[in-house]
């Protein structure tokens, strides 16, 4: 990943809620004496962000943030997605329409600060795009065909044409597979504040509902998504108890 010496002005928002089916109360899971959401916020503070805010519907998470002096906003319990929660933050903070917000997932305690900077810079450099995100090359057939690995196809300007759980592009001629580039999408986003306000009013799109990928709502409605291609994926986040134990081994003494 290229090093960025200066990034545009931007804000990091970390949506965090206690409801998780695979790992209950995940944001408050202890990692070396600190809740996971605090670990994520501390990583985000190492980026060039002007501020880092946790957005939650849980007074418990808010109390943990207060204890560790992390800015936190209590938001509605009724948001269907993290993007909707971030849109409320933009309203509460009265952010200008051109403000840049990077959405960092609350289960990424090892996220590289440089990746956060890159997402913000990619959005700032693509004025016609409402969103930025990241992809990494993949070559393993198991990953390409895994529906849990989201793939993205880009146009010549580096903007997303489509995201899918299916292996895209589909290679009709087996001889062409060696020259076909597959890209795995990573779930980190940058947004312009005016897009967030529009997003909260958009109806779910048919391809979004079919694929269970909320970014397809933006494409369906004509919004552009700039995609930065990173050379390698960052460390994996926490989805399962096994993931949590792995992170505890890595960060338990820090």
């Amino acid at each position: 990943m290229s090093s960025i010496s200066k990034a545009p002005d931007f804000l990091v928002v970390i949506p965090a809620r206690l409801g998780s089916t695979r790992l209950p109360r995940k944001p408050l899971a202890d990692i070396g004496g600190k809740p996971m959401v605090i670990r994520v916020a501390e990583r985000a503070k190492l980026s060039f962000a002007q501020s880092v805010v946790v957005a939650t519907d849980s007074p418990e998470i808010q109390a943990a943030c207060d204890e560790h002096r992390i800015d936190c906003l209590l938001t509605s319990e009724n948001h269907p997605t993290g993007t909707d929660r971030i849109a409320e933050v933009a309203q509460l903070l009265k952010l200008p329409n051109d403000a840049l917000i990077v959405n960092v997932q609350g289960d990424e305690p090892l996220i590289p600060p440089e990746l956060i900077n890159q997402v913000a810079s990619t959005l700032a450099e693509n004025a016609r795009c409402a969103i930025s995100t990241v992809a990494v090359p993949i070559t393993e057939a198991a990953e390409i065909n895994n529906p849990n690995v989201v793939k993205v196809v880009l146009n010549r300007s580096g903007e997303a044409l489509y995201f899918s759980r299916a292996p895209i592009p589909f290679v009709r001629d087996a001889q062409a597979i060696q020259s076909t580039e597959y890209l795995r999408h990573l779930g980190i986003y940058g947004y312009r504040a005016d897009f967030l306000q529009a997003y909260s009013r958009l109806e779910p799109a048919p391809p979004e509902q079919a694929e269970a990928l909320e970014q397809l709502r933006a494409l369906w409605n004509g919004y552009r998504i700039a995609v930065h291609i990173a050379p390698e994926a960052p460390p994996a986040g926490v989805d399962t108890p096994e993931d949590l134990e792995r992170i505890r081994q890595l960060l338990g003494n820090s």
Side-chain angles (χ1 to χ4, degrees), residues 18 24 58 83 114 118 121 127 129 143 159 164-165 205 216 237 253:
L18 283 183
S58 165
T83 308
E114 297 84 0
Q118 184 65 67
S121 293
C129 294
E143 278 195 272
E159 298 171 5
S164 182
R165 298 182 182 279
L216 291 174
N253 296 322

Side-chain angles (χ1 to χ4, degrees), residues 3-153:
S3 176
I4 297 175
S5 59
K6 185 69 174 75
D9 289 350
F10 68 97
L11 164 76
V12 167
V13 178
I14 303 169
R17 62 185 186 89
L18 283 183
S20 174
T21 54
R22 285 188 288 183
L23 189 57
R25 299 174 60 80
K26 182 163 64 170
L28 295 178
D30 183 88
I31 300 176
K34 295 180 182 179
M36 178 159 54
V37 69
I38 302 303
R39 292 284 188 177
V40 176
E42 289 176 343
R43 292 289 287 181
K45 280 179 170 288
L46 297 176
S47 74
F48 292 135
Q50 276 61 53
S51 58
V52 174
V53 178
V54 172
T56 186
D57 58 359
S58 165
E60 283 187 79
I61 292 176
Q62 185 180 44
C65 290
D66 290 345
E67 179 183 350
H68 292 274
R69 299 183 179 180
I70 299 295
D71 290 341
C72 182
L73 288 174
L74 200 59
T75 55
S76 170
E77 298 178 355
N78 301 320
H79 291 309
T81 70
T83 308
D84 292 296
R85 194 173 305 283
I86 295 171
E88 182 182 351
V89 170
Q91 288 182 321
L92 291 172
L93 295 179
K94 297 181 170 57
L95 297 179
N97 286 341
D98 60 352
L100 305 184
I101 302 102
V102 176
N103 172 8
V104 174
Q105 299 297 318
D107 56 6
E108 299 278 355
L110 296 178
I111 187 166
E114 297 84 0
L115 186 63
I116 299 172
N117 295 336
Q118 184 65 67
V119 170
S121 293
T122 297
L123 186 54
E125 292 164 3
N126 290 273
R128 65 182 186 172
C129 294
I131 307 170
S132 62
T133 191
V134 177
V136 294
I138 52 174
T139 57
E140 297 294 329
E143 278 195 272
I144 293 168
N145 292 289
N146 184 347
N148 293 317
V149 174
V150 178
K151 277 70 67 173
V152 59
V153 171

Side-chain angles (χ1 to χ4, degrees), residues 196-254:
L196 286 171
Q197 302 314 318
Y199 179 88
S200 63
R201 298 189 295 269
L202 298 177
E203 293 293 327
E208 170 196 3
Q209 294 174 312
E211 298 257 18
L213 298 173
E214 66 177 271
Q215 64 268 39
L216 291 174
R217 189 184 313 182
L219 289 183
W220 175 262
N221 285 280
Y223 290 97
R224 297 175 182 268
I225 302 177
V227 182
H228 169 70
I229 301 178
E232 60 184 12
V238 177
D239 287 321
T240 66
E242 292 76 20
D243 293 336
L244 179 59
E245 187 55 38
R246 170 178 52 83
I247 297 293
R248 282 173 169 162
Q249 295 283 335
L250 290 169
L251 293 181
N253 296 322
S254 63

Side-chain angles (χ1 to χ4, degrees), residues 162-207:
Y162 192 69
F163 298 84
S164 182
R165 298 182 182 279
I168 57 172
F170 174 78
V171 181
R172 181 180 178 185
D173 184 351
Q175 293 181 339
I177 197 165
Q178 295 298 326
S179 60
T180 301
E181 181 180 45
Y182 289 91
L183 294 172
R184 176 178 186 163
H185 176 237
L186 305 181
I188 180 172
Y189 296 94
Y191 303 107
R192 299 187 192 278
D194 57 352
F195 165 77
L196 286 171
Q197 302 314 318
Y199 179 88
S200 63
R201 298 189 295 269
L202 298 177
E203 293 293 327

